[in-house]
Amino acid sequence: MRSITVVGASLAGLSTVRALRAEGYDGEIVVVGEERHAPYDRPPLSKDFLKGGLDVDALALGDADEYEALDVQWLLGERAVRLDPVARTVTLAGGGHVRTGGVVVATGAGARMLPGTEGMAGVHTLRTLDDAQALRAELLEGRPRLVVIGAGFIGAEVASTARGLGLDVTVVEALDVPLERQLGREMGLVCSSLHTDHGVRLLRGTGVAGLVGEDRVTGVRLADGRVLPADVVVVGVGVRPATDWLAGSGVQVDDGVVCDSGCATSVPGVVAVGDVARCPSPFTGRHARIEHWSNATEQARTAARTLLRGESAPAPLTAPYFWSDQYQVRIQLAGHVAPGAQPDIVEGDIDSRSFTAVYRREGTPVAVLSLNQPKFFNRLRRTLVPAAAVAL
């Protein structure tokens, strides 16, 4: 394999480049990135960067010296529109073609918008650096009323940041219990109560019928007919995997690129990594996309080995892990909160918003959640048992 094309200049894409070189690959590597920016860190976009505490340079994942050592050809501001696995080419939106021996799909996912809101001023999603810059400009110029649609982790972090800037913030969530899918009902209620602890209005079990306004948004119309006044609206209702460009390629797609545990796709010589990759996890026992920072870096090593060896490499038996910073509280979760897993507070207490809970299924620890107890969390996460070892 004399050349490899990485489609997606993300953390997952850059991590795969690093892994390829670490594995001894010395052939040509081309990185195609739809954004004009070199790889950058996304977690700060909803936190320190959004409130003006970081500049763009602080987000960089690499520097000029590293990129020179990696010896990569960067095609930034170029969007891949087609993969031809027979001709071994990646077609770009500008009409160019990249001939390649292997392909790494690292295109991630794009934020979902509310239908009919395209082009309306004051309405934002938060997925990219450009998104964050546009939203930051509005929040810092003093528009006082923010409505966040969706109480997932991105929505919650935006609400926290905006509240810290002194804005009047309302969060609208269609589910009765925010974060129930990730944390379970009890802990979903605990973590979502951080909003009300800090003066943010949280409307649970409330649908959105549409937005009010012509050129610029002025309000959010709820399913029950109420209208929430809004100067700025942030839509955080999930993402859609960026797989359209793979149509007709033979790469199997179903809520992301379908892979085996080694990140291999249905087409030889093509692997997928990061938010776009739907792989079976040896830890959770589920076939799913894992949209975590740590997953992108760990998966990249597996994908690189699979691509270079021509057969699926074993995936690490590592518990999925993510964190979220909200209202001066660090939320950390490792493992998988499977149906039937019950949380048990083993340190601290809920009222103080400083505690650690272990989820057990049939007495076996399968996940650990911590609020503001990182040392205790790190010790307990090493005790978690994979789903395959738990009687189902």
Side-chain angles (χ1 to χ4, degrees):
M1 192 174 294
R2 300 180 62 180
S3 64
I4 294 174
T5 300
V6 179
V7 184
S10 56
L11 170 67
L14 175 60
S15 296
T16 308
V17 170
R18 289 167 170 163
L20 287 167
R21 292 305 192 207
E23 289 291 319
Y25 178 71
D26 61 1
E28 179 185 48
I29 299 178
V30 178
V31 177
V32 178
E34 183 173 357
E35 295 184 62
R36 56 190 171 86
H37 309 288
Y40 58 86
D41 204 16
R42 294 184 189 273
L45 295 183
S46 56
K47 299 182 279 289
D48 288 344
F49 181 82
L50 189 60
K51 70 181 180 183
L54 292 177
D55 59 19
V56 172
D57 290 342
L59 300 176
L61 288 172
D63 57 32
D65 289 341
E66 181 191 15
Y67 291 154
E68 182 178 359
L70 289 173
D71 189 21
V72 174
Q73 180 184 355
W74 297 92
L75 299 180
L76 299 178
E78 292 276 8
R79 181 168 56 91
V81 295
R82 184 169 181 265
L83 170 64
D84 186 334
V86 176
R88 309 306 291 182
T89 58
V90 174
T91 302
L92 307 179
H97 300 271
V98 179
R99 291 194 172 276
T100 186
V103 175
V104 178
V105 180
T107 42
R112 295 184 183 275
M113 282 291 294
L114 293 181
T117 63
E118 295 81 359
M120 180 181 284
V123 181
H124 299 264
T125 57
L126 183 55
R127 187 71 182 176
T128 69
L129 176 54
D130 290 342
D131 292 340
Q133 288 176 317
L135 177 57
R136 181 168 78 167
E138 294 219 290
L139 297 185
L140 295 182
E141 73 179 19
R143 298 187 182 274
R145 298 171 300 183
L146 170 69
V147 175
V148 179
I149 302 174
F153 287 107
I154 292 296
E157 290 175 357
V158 170
S160 169
T161 300
R163 186 61 182 156
L165 292 171
L167 277 69
D168 178 270
V169 182
T170 300
V171 178
V172 182
E173 171 57 53
L175 299 176
D176 289 330
V177 180
L179 305 174
E180 182 174 9
R181 182 174 64 86
Q182 296 90 345
L183 306 179
R185 185 176 185 84
E186 180 182 351
M187 290 299 140
L189 288 170
V190 171
C191 289
S192 61
S193 69
L194 292 172
H195 295 299
T196 52
D197 287 351
H198 292 83
V200 171
R201 186 183 183 194
L202 174 62
L203 303 179
R204 299 187 284 120
T206 304
V208 171
L211 302 185
V212 179
E214 295 183 3
D215 294 335
R216 182 174 184 90
V217 68
T218 59
V220 175
R221 188 180 305 279
L222 304 180
D224 61 12
R226 287 179 294 167
V227 174
L228 304 175
D231 301 301
V232 180
V233 172
V234 175
V235 180
V237 293
V239 298
R240 181 175 177 272
T243 57
D244 289 351
W245 69 286
L246 296 171
S249 67
V251 173
Q252 184 182 357
V253 172
D254 180 9
D255 184 34
V257 176
V258 179
C259 305
D260 66 11
S261 59
C263 301
T265 73
S266 54
V267 173
V270 180
V271 298
V273 64
D275 291 358
V276 75
R278 185 166 172 255
C279 303
S281 166
F283 192 92
T284 68
R286 298 187 308 152
H287 205 118
R289 294 185 302 106
I290 299 178
E291 300 173 25
H292 300 164
W293 194 97
S294 57
N295 180 67
T297 57
E298 293 169 356
Q299 209 173 50
R301 292 188 286 270
T302 302
R305 290 167 183 160
T306 293
L307 191 59
L308 296 179
R309 297 173 186 177
E311 60 182 17
S312 288
L317 195 61
T318 305
Y321 163 70
F322 74 87
W323 74 93
S324 177
D325 293 322
Q326 304 171 27
Y327 307 104
Q328 291 78 54
V329 174
R330 168 150 289 197
I331 301 170
Q332 295 173 284
L333 178 75
H336 171 51
V337 181
Q342 297 298 316
D344 176 34
I345 306 297
V346 296
E347 181 73 16
D349 63 272
I350 288 175
D351 291 341
S352 71
R353 304 300 190 249
S354 176
F355 67 88
T356 299
V358 174
Y359 294 80
R360 292 184 173 88
R361 188 174 185 184
E362 299 185 4
T364 302
V366 294
V368 57
L369 170 71
S370 177
L371 271 63
N372 276 350
Q373 291 193 342
K375 291 183 179 179
F376 206 72
F377 171 84
N378 287 330
R379 185 161 76 246
L380 286 177
R381 67 188 289 197
R382 293 192 289 269
T383 69
L384 300 180
V385 176
V390 182
L392 300 178

